[in-house]
Amino acid sequence: VLIIGDVMVDYYRFGEVNRISPEAPVPVVEIESKESRPGGAANVALNLLQLGAKPFLLSMIGRDNTGTLLINMLKNAGVRTHHILQHKNRTTTLKTRIFDDDKQVVRFDEEDTEDVQDAQEALLIKEFKKIVANDKIDIIIIQDYNKGVLTKYFIKQILLHATKAEIPVAVDPKERNFLDYQAIDLFKPNLREFSEAIGYRINSKSIESLRSGAEELRRKNRFKNLMVTLGAHGIFCFTRDGQSFIVPAKAIKAADVSGAGDTVISIAALAFVQKYPMKEIAQFANKGAAAVCKKVGVTPVALKELK
C-alpha cells in the first residue's frame, strides 16, 4: 500500500490539574509524563503495518529535530522511511497536546501549511513515479491534512498515473483540495467536510438528506464509492451502483477521537482492495475506530481488535 500525504509528530504531555494559576485565571497542569507518536499519514502507515500490510510512505518534512524524531520513531516501528523526503525549507508539523488525566486541556501546533515549492513538488512527483514503476502497489491512500505536501498539480499526477497503472485510489480529504480528487475509487470525508463541499448542512440521522448530498457531490467530483464518517452515528455509504445506507456504530465511551479517521481509511482501503462489500467495509471500519477512540492519543489499531 502506498500512502501519500502530510506526516507529523503528535507530542503528548500528561498531568493533573489541582490549582488555578495566581498569574491568570487558567489551570496549572502538573506534568507527570511525556510521549511522542507519529501522526497524520504516518499513523496510517502504522495502522497498515499492524493490519498486516506492507506500507510505503511518501511525504516531505523539514530537516529539523522534529523531522529526525519522526524518522527514528517510524524506523523503530518497522516502517520504511526512505521515501520521506527532508528539505531545509520545510518545517515538520508538531502538535503538542496537554492532558489533565484523560481530558485534553489545550493543543499547540507548530507547522508550515503553505504548499511545497515547485522544486520540492518536482522531487515528490519523481519519487512517486519511481515507487509506482519499481514496486507492486495494490492501492494508493491519499491522506490530506492541508499541510502543503499535496498540491493540486501533485494530486493530478497521482491520479493520472494511478489510472494508467490501474491502481485503485482511496482518499481521506480536507477542505483545500476537496474537489481536486476526481473519480476516486473510495472517497472518505467526515460529515463536516462533506457538508461544506456541497454547501449546505446535512442531517446525519436522515438517509434521505445524506443520499441527496451524495448525489450532489457525485456530480461535482464523480467519486465511485463514498464513505462519510458520522462520528457516534456510524458511517454512511453511497456505492458505485447507487446503493445508500448507514452502518451504525456501537455506543462507546470515547476517551479521545484523535486518529480515528486514519484507522478508518486504513481498514477501508485494505478491505476495498480485497473486494469486500461496502457494508462489511464500513462494519470493519466502525469497529476499528471504536477501538482507537477508547484510548487516549493517536494510536494504531491492531488486527486482533477487529476479530
Side-chain angles (χ1 to χ4, degrees), residues 59-106:
S59 189
M60 180 171 282
I61 59 175
R63 198 176 292 281
D64 49 26
N65 291 337
T66 306
T68 302
L69 172 63
L70 178 58
I71 294 286
N72 289 337
M73 285 193 295
L74 287 169
K75 280 181 178 175
N76 291 338
V79 175
R80 301 197 310 173
T81 59
H82 50 285
H83 301 304
I84 301 178
L85 310 181
Q86 290 186 271
H87 201 284
K88 63 181 180 180
N89 293 332
R90 294 294 294 176
T91 299
T92 309
T93 295
L94 175 65
K95 293 183 180 180
T96 302
R97 295 174 175 92
I98 312 295
F99 278 82
D100 168 23
D101 286 333
D102 60 353
K103 296 184 194 73
Q104 191 174 154
V105 176
V106 69

Side-chain angles (χ1 to χ4, degrees), residues 1-4 48 53-54 56 136-142 162 166-171 185-186 265-266 268-274:
V1 180
L2 172 58
I3 312 107
I4 308 172
L48 290 164
K54 182 182 178 185
F56 295 81
K136 184 184 181 302
I137 304 298
D138 293 313
I139 191 166
I140 294 170
I141 297 175
I142 301 178
E166 298 183 337
I167 303 170
V169 178
V171 175
D185 296 278
L186 185 61
I265 195 68
S266 304
L270 288 185
F272 181 82
V273 84
Q274 293 179 68

Side-chain angles (χ1 to χ4, degrees), residues 202-228:
I202 296 289
N203 180 354
S204 63
K205 296 178 184 177
S206 164
I207 190 72
E208 290 78 17
S209 178
L210 288 159
R211 186 190 297 119
S212 173
E215 288 167 349
E216 175 68 23
L217 181 59
R218 182 171 268 169
R219 285 191 285 273
K220 291 185 175 185
N221 78 342
R222 301 175 298 125
F223 66 80
K224 294 171 187 172
N225 297 282
L226 176 72
M227 285 178 66
V228 180

Side-chain angles (χ1 to χ4, degrees), residues 233-261:
H233 298 299
I235 294 173
F236 166 71
C237 298
F238 191 79
T239 68
R240 190 170 193 161
D241 57 7
Q243 292 181 55
S244 56
F245 47 85
I246 296 171
V247 178
K250 257 188 184 176
I252 62 160
K253 186 179 178 184
D256 187 0
V257 298
S258 313

